[in-house]
Amino acid sequence: MSTTEPDVTGSPCTSPTPGQQPRQIALFPAPTNAGAPRHAAPHRADPAGAPDTVAWDGDAGTATPEGVQGTDADRSRAEVAAWFRALDTEVEAELVAETGMDQANRSKLERDRTLAQREVPALGIARSHVALLEAAKAWRLVRTDDGAYAVRRSRDAEGGRKASCERVALLLQARYFTEVTESSGLVQVRLTIRGAQALYLIGLHPAGVHANERSAYRARWAKVAGQSRMSRDARKTAARRLAPLPSHAADRYGDRPVTVTEQAWRTAQALDVVSGPGGADAWENEGGAVFGVAAIEPRAW
């Protein structure tokens, strides 16, 4: 009696017949649209192919116009940029009210302060020399008929106290002064452009001015003492002279900072709104002048 069961597909040594092929089971069936979960990735139409289509939000089940998110981002950036512009305008208004200058002129002022800190100590100038520079700026320094110099109390006053001829000669030699003979025969000592610029820089860095002429001489002597090619007498002569302002510093006279008030005054003057001899004086009395900016321009170097 055979022990083979009728349902057996065959022995291990024999191949199964076509009718006895084993059935294949699909372990990973292909996905179908039926029964797709709600959180599946939403379908988004191609905007190039269908410009009028909308983007579907799978979570909310609603349709939103294409590009709304980009529009909101652009609007946010524009609002931030507008806020920064308003802040800059507010800060600038506060700085103008505090300093009287706009941003460009404030930058010029900082540049000139740096220049003054470097150049003023190198001048070797004393307070007595600065007093004569200020008198010449105000047109109060004159040369009398006997060849002496005097500082008047005001521009149109007579007489005045005597000034040191040696100091005036040193300032003339350094090209800070020039002498101008008026039609009346009066000889006025006026600032040159170099002298006006030196006085302006001194006002920005007064700490560079020496208290007296002795300390100023010592400073000038220290600059020439190490020059072995010069004799001792030549070094003494050089130390007695005032150092002229370098050309690179004097050339900046025409690019000095001005206040907003002065800009308005210059514009009005150009339009013939301000006229008469008292125009400049009235403007300075109202606080529009910057230190060292003379209403009367120097005529020569």
Side-chain angles (χ1 to χ4, degrees):
M1 182 178 61
S2 175
T3 58
T4 303
E5 296 181 1
D7 294 337
V8 177
T9 59
S11 65
C13 298
T14 59
S15 300
T17 60
Q20 296 175 337
Q21 291 293 337
R23 186 175 53 181
Q24 296 182 353
I25 300 176
L27 298 179
F28 302 98
T32 59
N33 292 334
R38 293 185 57 197
H39 60 271
H43 172 71
R44 188 174 297 273
D46 185 5
D52 297 333
T53 57
V54 297
W56 290 90
D57 186 353
D59 291 338
T62 57
T64 57
E66 183 72 28
V68 169
Q69 183 177 2
T71 303
D72 292 340
D74 293 339
R75 185 183 299 110
S76 299
R77 285 192 292 266
E79 291 175 353
V80 171
W83 181 82
F84 274 113
R85 287 194 298 269
L87 181 61
D88 291 340
T89 303
E90 182 179 355
V91 172
E92 177 65 17
E94 293 178 356
L95 291 174
V96 170
E98 180 180 353
T99 64
M101 299 182 184
D102 55 19
Q103 183 177 2
N105 285 279
R106 290 196 305 271
S107 299
K108 291 181 181 180
L109 183 60
E110 291 300 321
R111 178 204 66 186
D112 288 347
R113 282 176 176 165
T114 303
L115 179 67
Q117 292 174 0
R118 182 176 67 250
E119 299 297 340
V120 172
L123 298 178
I125 201 168
R127 293 178 182 175
S128 56
H129 301 120
V130 177
L132 290 177
L133 290 172
E134 293 174 344
K137 175 188 173 183
W139 283 25
R140 295 189 297 111
L141 182 60
V142 299
R143 191 180 73 186
T144 59
D145 296 336
D146 58 357
Y149 294 94
V151 177
R152 295 178 170 180
R153 292 186 176 180
S154 64
R155 179 176 176 178
D156 299 325
E158 299 290 339
R161 59 181 177 83
K162 290 184 177 181
S164 172
C165 293
E166 183 180 359
R167 294 171 187 163
V168 176
L170 288 175
L171 291 167
L172 283 167
Q173 190 177 33
R175 294 185 293 172
Y176 293 152
F177 284 165
T178 185
E179 293 183 345
V180 179
T181 303
E182 296 185 347
S183 57
S184 60
L186 178 67
V187 178
Q188 282 197 340
V189 181
R190 300 179 184 176
L191 285 180
T192 62
I193 293 178
R194 191 178 297 268
Q197 181 71 349
L199 185 59
Y200 165 69
L201 295 177
I202 288 170
L204 295 179
H205 186 59
V209 178
H210 297 275
N212 51 65
E213 295 184 28
R214 182 180 296 272
S215 61
Y217 173 80
R218 290 176 178 174
R220 296 194 298 269
W221 170 258
K223 292 180 61 177
V224 299
Q227 299 184 11
S228 58
R229 292 179 297 177
M230 299 174 60
S231 65
R232 184 174 180 82
D233 291 340
R235 281 178 284 174
K236 286 183 177 180
T237 302
R240 292 190 187 101
R241 297 176 180 175
L242 292 178
L245 187 69
S247 298
H248 70 85
D251 291 342
R252 293 187 178 182
Y253 177 82
D255 191 29
R256 295 156 68 179
V258 294
T259 61
V260 176
T261 304
E262 183 180 356
Q263 294 179 45
W265 178 82
R266 289 183 177 182
T267 302
Q269 189 182 43
L271 297 174
D272 274 340
V273 176
V274 177
S275 60
D281 297 335
W283 162 70
E284 290 188 353
N285 293 334
E286 291 175 358
V290 179
F291 183 91
V293 179
I296 303 169
E297 297 291 336
R299 297 184 179 180
W301 284 94

